[in-house]
Amino acid sequence: MSLRTLPLVFINLGGEMLYILDQRLRAHNTSEDKSEKGVWSESDRRRVLNDIVGTMFSKSFMDELLKPQQLYSHRTMKTVLTRLAHTSIMRLNPASMDRLYELMIMAFKYQVFLCPRPKDLLLISYNHIDTIREFVRDTPVVMNQVDETHRNIIEVYSSLSEGQFQLLRQTLLIFFQDMHIRVSLFLKNQIQNPSGRFVLTTSGPVPYGADVPGLIRTFDLRGREVNRSEFPPGGTYSGLVREGSFDLNGDRVLRLGRNLYRVEHPEETQTSRTHSVQPDSAPNPLAKEELNQLARLMGSMKAENVPKGEPQFRINLFTTDQEEEAASGGEQEAMFQVINIQAVQDEQAASELARIAGQFTDEEEKLENPSSNKGDDLLAMMDDL
């Protein structure tokens, strides 16, 4: 497994988390409900993003994260991201964070699946960093932290070979294995099956530097081309005229990793067009459907450690049970058989299950001991920030 996977996972998942929180806060700022709108302001949204980004890109934290190390388990990664979200003035309950983590995982997994080349994983990460930089553009101190981290990532990953990037991609795919959570945004765009597996097309642009399939060339012993023939490639392919920029600034060409909840056409996640697409000021309705699933779970984000006299920050995302049911894609549930499980168990059966569960827990803790120790170091470091 690659020892350079952890920083990219953390940055990309953290970026997806910021996308979702930013969209929900903007939606509430534009709410027509005046009584609800008065609970917070635009400055609250900026403060939340600045607090999270400031901790996420702090020098001591990133220096520790960029050291070669094994990728964390999902449990440890979720704990780190939960602690990251709680560095702001809001709090998420466990159910909210579970759903939020699932959305982040599936979004990044889809991006990895569509990544043309293993090296282009950097372009996905840079798209996340570019958008995060825009979030904090009015806070020079935090913006400098983002720039410094970006420079360090360029320095660390620019020397990796194609084989090392391929190993990094394989490590990511192992990390995502068996994660098949259904996302209503993907279901509505028909890029995910009801089983939770993605639908990958056989058309589109080929990786930069690769030939468009459909041509067979024959060479003689001297290397001279002697014959050409064509065959149906089974799809419509196109070549890329230029490569995305791997510098601190520049056109990434690849659109994967951009803010799916604010762009005008979220389905265009492959490559950029010849003309630039400006972000749409209104939240995308398809993206809102998925975010609405998160709303009633999140319920409220309570402020902690806020000085007396300062208004607390509270956000209500779901208003009615009907909205939750409509957003959760109820029609998809009808495609699956419902199994009723009896919740009441006798004392003997409960004791036996507890004993078996304890054995699994002990074994898992032994296997994850090196990773969990490393995660504890990062969590302790976040407490000191």
Side-chain angles (χ1 to χ4, degrees):
M1 297 179 66
S2 174
L3 300 180
R4 293 294 187 183
T5 311
L6 181 59
L8 297 188
V9 172
F10 181 77
I11 288 175
N12 285 282
L13 292 183
E16 291 296 326
M17 179 175 68
L18 289 168
Y19 293 170
I20 295 172
L21 295 178
D22 173 70
Q23 196 277 343
R24 294 314 300 170
L25 297 180
R26 287 181 181 274
H28 276 271
N29 283 335
T30 58
S31 173
E32 295 181 359
D33 187 346
K34 300 302 181 181
S35 60
E36 179 185 4
K37 184 176 179 181
V39 174
W40 53 41
S41 64
E42 174 67 12
S43 62
D44 292 322
R45 181 191 68 84
R46 294 181 180 180
R47 178 179 174 182
V48 169
L49 298 181
N50 282 329
D51 289 346
I52 295 177
V53 175
T55 302
M56 180 178 176
F57 289 91
S58 64
K59 186 179 186 306
S60 58
F61 184 76
M62 275 298 167
D63 287 346
E64 183 69 23
L65 199 67
L66 286 171
K67 294 178 181 179
Q69 55 191 299
Q70 294 286 345
L71 182 60
Y72 296 167
S73 66
H74 282 285
R75 183 198 304 180
T76 305
M77 182 64 67
K78 182 162 58 177
T79 301
V80 173
L81 290 170
T82 301
R83 189 71 59 85
L84 175 64
H86 290 175
T87 58
S88 67
I89 59 177
M90 67 180 182
R91 291 295 180 269
L92 303 178
N93 59 48
S96 318
M97 196 62 212
D98 288 345
R99 183 57 181 159
L100 182 59
Y101 184 76
E102 290 174 351
L103 295 180
M104 294 185 290
I105 284 291
M106 295 307 291
F108 186 34
K109 178 180 180 179
Y110 183 63
Q111 294 162 12
V112 173
F113 272 26
L114 292 186
C115 187
R117 303 176 301 174
K119 183 180 179 181
D120 290 336
L121 290 170
L122 288 181
L123 295 179
I124 298 177
S125 303
Y126 293 169
N127 276 333
H128 280 103
I129 294 177
D130 290 343
T131 307
I132 293 173
R133 187 184 290 112
E134 285 298 311
F135 285 157
V136 297
R137 64 181 182 274
D138 296 329
T139 311
V141 175
V142 180
M143 189 171 177
N144 288 336
Q145 290 179 237
V146 177
D147 289 340
E148 183 63 25
T149 298
H150 198 167
R151 294 187 185 95
N152 292 336
I153 291 177
I154 292 175
E155 181 180 355
V156 169
Y157 288 93
S158 60
S159 60
L160 266 60
S161 64
E162 294 293 337
Q164 289 173 311
F165 277 114
Q166 177 63 26
L167 181 60
L168 194 154
R169 179 178 180 273
Q170 291 177 351
T171 304
L172 283 174
L173 294 178
I174 294 174
F175 179 70
F176 293 134
Q177 192 173 11
D178 298 328
M179 298 289 290
H180 305 297
I181 298 98
R182 289 178 296 151
V183 179
S184 62
L185 171 62
F186 294 154
L187 292 170
K188 290 180 180 293
N189 282 333
Q190 298 183 344
I191 59 179
Q192 189 181 30
N193 289 325
S195 63
R197 299 183 182 274
F198 290 119
V199 178
L200 303 180
T201 63
T202 57
S203 301
V206 299
Y208 177 78
D211 295 329
V212 176
L215 177 65
I216 300 176
R217 295 187 296 171
T218 306
F219 299 85
D220 59 17
L221 295 177
R222 297 183 179 181
R224 295 177 299 184
E225 184 178 336
V226 296
N227 185 35
R228 286 192 175 194
S229 60
E230 296 182 355
F231 67 93
T236 304
Y237 299 93
S238 61
L240 292 178
V241 295
R242 56 194 173 89
E243 187 178 25
S245 173
F246 289 88
D247 298 328
L248 187 66
N249 298 294
D251 186 3
R252 312 300 179 192
V253 179
L254 195 71
R255 297 182 59 85
L256 298 171
R258 296 189 181 184
N259 193 343
L260 183 67
Y261 305 100
R262 293 190 61 197
V263 295
E264 185 176 0
H265 300 288
E267 68 277 6
E268 296 174 1
T269 55
Q270 190 71 19
T271 56
S272 59
R273 293 183 173 183
T274 54
H275 65 278
S276 60
V277 179
Q278 298 297 328
D280 190 354
S281 58
N284 184 276
L286 294 178
K288 184 178 179 181
E289 290 292 331
E290 176 56 35
L291 292 173
N292 282 341
Q293 294 189 36
L294 192 62
R296 189 162 69 85
L297 287 175
M298 297 179 73
S300 64
M301 300 178 181
K302 298 182 295 183
E304 293 186 4
N305 301 324
V306 179
K308 293 183 178 180
E310 184 175 353
Q312 294 187 344
F313 178 48
R314 185 174 184 273
I315 175 173
N316 293 320
L317 299 183
F318 276 144
T319 55
T320 64
D321 293 337
Q322 289 78 8
E323 182 182 358
E324 161 68 13
E325 182 178 356
S328 61
E331 67 278 2
Q332 297 294 338
E333 297 293 339
M335 303 180 65
F336 294 87
Q337 181 181 2
V338 178
I339 301 176
N340 295 321
I341 301 177
Q342 183 178 358
V344 180
Q345 301 175 344
D346 57 55
E347 183 178 355
Q348 181 180 358
S351 301
E352 182 65 15
L353 288 176
R355 183 185 65 80
I356 297 174
Q359 293 177 353
F360 282 117
T361 302
D362 293 340
E363 291 296 328
E364 186 175 355
E365 289 178 353
K366 292 179 181 179
L367 292 174
E368 295 183 357
N369 187 44
S371 174
S372 60
N373 289 342
K374 197 67 175 179
D376 291 342
D377 293 340
L378 285 179
L379 290 173
M381 186 175 298
M382 294 178 74
D383 290 336
D384 295 335
L385 295 176

